[in-house]
Short mmCIF file of all heavy atoms in Angstrom, two decimals:
data_model
loop_
_atom_site.label_atom_id
_atom_site.label_comp_id
_atom_site.label_asym_id
_atom_site.label_seq_id
_atom_site.Cartn_x
_atom_site.Cartn_y
_atom_site.Cartn_z
N ALA A 170 202.63 -32.82 54.30
CA ALA A 170 203.76 -31.90 54.43
C ALA A 170 205.07 -32.67 54.46
O ALA A 170 205.14 -33.81 54.95
CB ALA A 170 203.61 -31.07 55.69
N ASN A 171 206.14 -32.04 53.95
CA ASN A 171 207.47 -32.64 54.06
C ASN A 171 208.12 -32.24 55.39
O ASN A 171 207.54 -31.48 56.17
CB ASN A 171 208.35 -32.25 52.87
CG ASN A 171 208.56 -30.76 52.75
OD1 ASN A 171 208.71 -30.05 53.76
ND2 ASN A 171 208.60 -30.25 51.51
N ALA A 172 209.32 -32.75 55.64
CA ALA A 172 209.95 -32.55 56.95
C ALA A 172 210.18 -31.07 57.25
O ALA A 172 209.97 -30.61 58.38
CB ALA A 172 211.27 -33.32 57.01
N SER A 173 210.60 -30.31 56.23
CA SER A 173 210.85 -28.89 56.45
C SER A 173 209.56 -28.16 56.78
O SER A 173 209.53 -27.30 57.68
CB SER A 173 211.49 -28.28 55.20
OG SER A 173 211.59 -26.88 55.31
N GLU A 174 208.50 -28.49 56.07
CA GLU A 174 207.21 -27.85 56.32
C GLU A 174 206.66 -28.21 57.69
O GLU A 174 206.07 -27.38 58.38
CB GLU A 174 206.23 -28.23 55.21
CG GLU A 174 206.59 -27.64 53.85
CD GLU A 174 205.90 -28.32 52.69
OE1 GLU A 174 205.46 -29.48 52.85
OE2 GLU A 174 205.82 -27.71 51.61
N ILE A 175 206.84 -29.46 58.09
CA ILE A 175 206.39 -29.88 59.41
C ILE A 175 207.11 -29.08 60.50
O ILE A 175 206.50 -28.63 61.48
CB ILE A 175 206.60 -31.39 59.60
CG1 ILE A 175 205.66 -32.18 58.69
CG2 ILE A 175 206.40 -31.79 61.06
CD1 ILE A 175 205.92 -33.68 58.68
N ALA A 176 208.41 -28.89 60.32
CA ALA A 176 209.17 -28.11 61.30
C ALA A 176 208.67 -26.67 61.37
O ALA A 176 208.58 -26.08 62.45
CB ALA A 176 210.66 -28.15 60.93
N GLN A 177 208.33 -26.09 60.22
CA GLN A 177 207.80 -24.73 60.21
C GLN A 177 206.45 -24.66 60.92
O GLN A 177 206.17 -23.70 61.65
CB GLN A 177 207.65 -24.24 58.76
CG GLN A 177 208.95 -24.03 58.03
CD GLN A 177 208.71 -23.62 56.58
OE1 GLN A 177 208.08 -22.59 56.32
NE2 GLN A 177 209.19 -24.43 55.65
N MET A 178 205.60 -25.66 60.69
CA MET A 178 204.29 -25.66 61.35
C MET A 178 204.45 -25.76 62.86
O MET A 178 203.77 -25.06 63.62
CB MET A 178 203.43 -26.82 60.82
CG MET A 178 202.83 -26.54 59.45
SD MET A 178 201.59 -27.78 58.98
CE MET A 178 202.61 -28.92 58.07
N ALA A 179 205.34 -26.63 63.30
CA ALA A 179 205.57 -26.78 64.74
C ALA A 179 206.10 -25.49 65.34
O ALA A 179 205.69 -25.08 66.44
CB ALA A 179 206.54 -27.93 65.00
N ALA A 180 207.00 -24.82 64.62
CA ALA A 180 207.55 -23.56 65.13
C ALA A 180 206.47 -22.49 65.23
O ALA A 180 206.44 -21.71 66.20
CB ALA A 180 208.68 -23.09 64.21
N HIS A 181 205.57 -22.46 64.25
CA HIS A 181 204.51 -21.45 64.30
C HIS A 181 203.53 -21.74 65.44
O HIS A 181 203.07 -20.82 66.12
CB HIS A 181 203.76 -21.37 62.98
CG HIS A 181 202.92 -20.14 62.87
ND1 HIS A 181 203.40 -18.93 62.44
CD2 HIS A 181 201.61 -19.92 63.18
CE1 HIS A 181 202.45 -18.02 62.48
NE2 HIS A 181 201.35 -18.59 62.93
N LEU A 182 203.22 -23.03 65.66
CA LEU A 182 202.34 -23.36 66.78
C LEU A 182 203.02 -22.97 68.10
O LEU A 182 202.36 -22.44 69.00
CB LEU A 182 202.02 -24.86 66.78
CG LEU A 182 201.20 -25.35 67.97
CD1 LEU A 182 199.84 -24.63 68.08
CD2 LEU A 182 200.99 -26.87 67.91
N HIS A 183 204.31 -23.24 68.22
CA HIS A 183 205.02 -22.87 69.44
C HIS A 183 204.94 -21.36 69.67
O HIS A 183 204.67 -20.89 70.79
CB HIS A 183 206.48 -23.31 69.35
CG HIS A 183 207.26 -23.09 70.61
ND1 HIS A 183 207.90 -21.90 70.90
CD2 HIS A 183 207.48 -23.91 71.68
CE1 HIS A 183 208.49 -21.99 72.08
NE2 HIS A 183 208.26 -23.20 72.57
N GLU A 184 205.15 -20.59 68.61
CA GLU A 184 205.05 -19.13 68.73
C GLU A 184 203.64 -18.72 69.15
O GLU A 184 203.47 -17.83 70.00
CB GLU A 184 205.40 -18.49 67.39
CG GLU A 184 205.22 -16.98 67.35
CD GLU A 184 205.36 -16.42 65.94
OE1 GLU A 184 206.24 -16.90 65.20
OE2 GLU A 184 204.59 -15.52 65.57
N ALA A 185 202.63 -19.36 68.56
CA ALA A 185 201.25 -19.03 68.90
C ALA A 185 200.94 -19.36 70.35
O ALA A 185 200.26 -18.61 71.06
CB ALA A 185 200.28 -19.78 67.97
N MET A 186 201.43 -20.51 70.82
CA MET A 186 201.20 -20.90 72.21
C MET A 186 201.88 -19.93 73.16
O MET A 186 201.31 -19.55 74.19
CB MET A 186 201.72 -22.32 72.44
CG MET A 186 200.94 -23.42 71.72
SD MET A 186 199.22 -23.55 72.24
CE MET A 186 199.44 -24.02 73.96
N GLN A 187 203.08 -19.50 72.83
CA GLN A 187 203.77 -18.54 73.68
C GLN A 187 203.04 -17.20 73.72
O GLN A 187 203.12 -16.47 74.71
CB GLN A 187 205.21 -18.33 73.17
CG GLN A 187 206.09 -19.57 73.30
CD GLN A 187 206.40 -19.93 74.73
OE1 GLN A 187 205.53 -20.35 75.50
NE2 GLN A 187 207.66 -19.77 75.14
N ALA A 188 202.29 -16.91 72.65
CA ALA A 188 201.53 -15.65 72.59
C ALA A 188 200.14 -15.78 73.20
O ALA A 188 199.41 -14.79 73.26
CB ALA A 188 201.41 -15.19 71.14
N GLY A 189 199.77 -17.00 73.64
CA GLY A 189 198.50 -17.15 74.35
C GLY A 189 197.47 -18.06 73.73
O GLY A 189 196.35 -18.15 74.23
N ALA A 190 197.80 -18.78 72.66
CA ALA A 190 196.83 -19.73 72.09
C ALA A 190 196.52 -20.82 73.10
O ALA A 190 197.34 -21.18 73.95
CB ALA A 190 197.38 -20.33 70.80
N LEU A 191 195.30 -21.38 72.99
CA LEU A 191 194.87 -22.44 73.90
C LEU A 191 195.22 -23.83 73.40
O LEU A 191 195.03 -24.82 74.11
CB LEU A 191 193.35 -22.36 74.11
CG LEU A 191 192.81 -21.10 74.78
CD1 LEU A 191 191.30 -21.19 74.95
CD2 LEU A 191 193.49 -20.84 76.12
N GLY A 192 195.68 -23.94 72.14
CA GLY A 192 195.98 -25.24 71.56
C GLY A 192 195.77 -25.20 70.06
O GLY A 192 195.88 -24.14 69.44
N PHE A 193 195.46 -26.35 69.47
CA PHE A 193 195.18 -26.37 68.04
C PHE A 193 193.98 -27.25 67.75
O PHE A 193 193.53 -28.04 68.60
CB PHE A 193 196.41 -26.83 67.23
CG PHE A 193 196.74 -28.30 67.32
CD1 PHE A 193 196.21 -29.21 66.42
CD2 PHE A 193 197.61 -28.78 68.30
CE1 PHE A 193 196.53 -30.57 66.48
CE2 PHE A 193 197.94 -30.13 68.39
CZ PHE A 193 197.39 -31.02 67.47
N SER A 194 193.44 -27.09 66.53
CA SER A 194 192.24 -27.85 66.15
C SER A 194 192.43 -28.48 64.78
O SER A 194 193.22 -27.99 63.95
CB SER A 194 191.01 -26.93 66.12
OG SER A 194 191.08 -26.02 65.03
N THR A 195 191.68 -29.56 64.54
CA THR A 195 191.72 -30.24 63.26
C THR A 195 190.41 -30.97 63.02
O THR A 195 189.48 -30.87 63.83
CB THR A 195 192.93 -31.20 63.19
OG1 THR A 195 193.05 -31.70 61.85
CG2 THR A 195 192.79 -32.37 64.16
N THR A 196 190.33 -31.70 61.93
CA THR A 196 189.10 -32.40 61.56
C THR A 196 189.42 -33.61 60.71
O THR A 196 190.43 -33.63 59.99
CB THR A 196 188.14 -31.48 60.79
OG1 THR A 196 186.95 -32.21 60.44
CG2 THR A 196 188.77 -30.97 59.50
N VAL A 197 188.54 -34.61 60.77
CA VAL A 197 188.59 -35.74 59.84
C VAL A 197 187.23 -35.95 59.19
O VAL A 197 187.02 -36.95 58.50
CB VAL A 197 189.04 -37.04 60.54
CG1 VAL A 197 190.48 -36.90 61.04
CG2 VAL A 197 188.11 -37.41 61.70
N LEU A 198 186.29 -35.03 59.37
CA LEU A 198 184.93 -35.21 58.86
C LEU A 198 184.90 -35.09 57.35
O LEU A 198 185.41 -34.12 56.76
CB LEU A 198 183.99 -34.20 59.48
CG LEU A 198 183.68 -34.37 60.97
CD1 LEU A 198 182.73 -33.28 61.44
CD2 LEU A 198 183.08 -35.75 61.24
#
Side-chain angles (χ1 to χ4, degrees):
N171 60 38
S173 173
E174 292 162 339
I175 291 173
Q177 292 177 60
M178 283 190 267
H181 194 85
L182 175 59
H183 186 273
E184 175 189 320
M186 293 297 296
Q187 294 292 68
L191 297 182
F193 73 91
S194 70
T195 188
T196 179
V197 295
L198 290 180

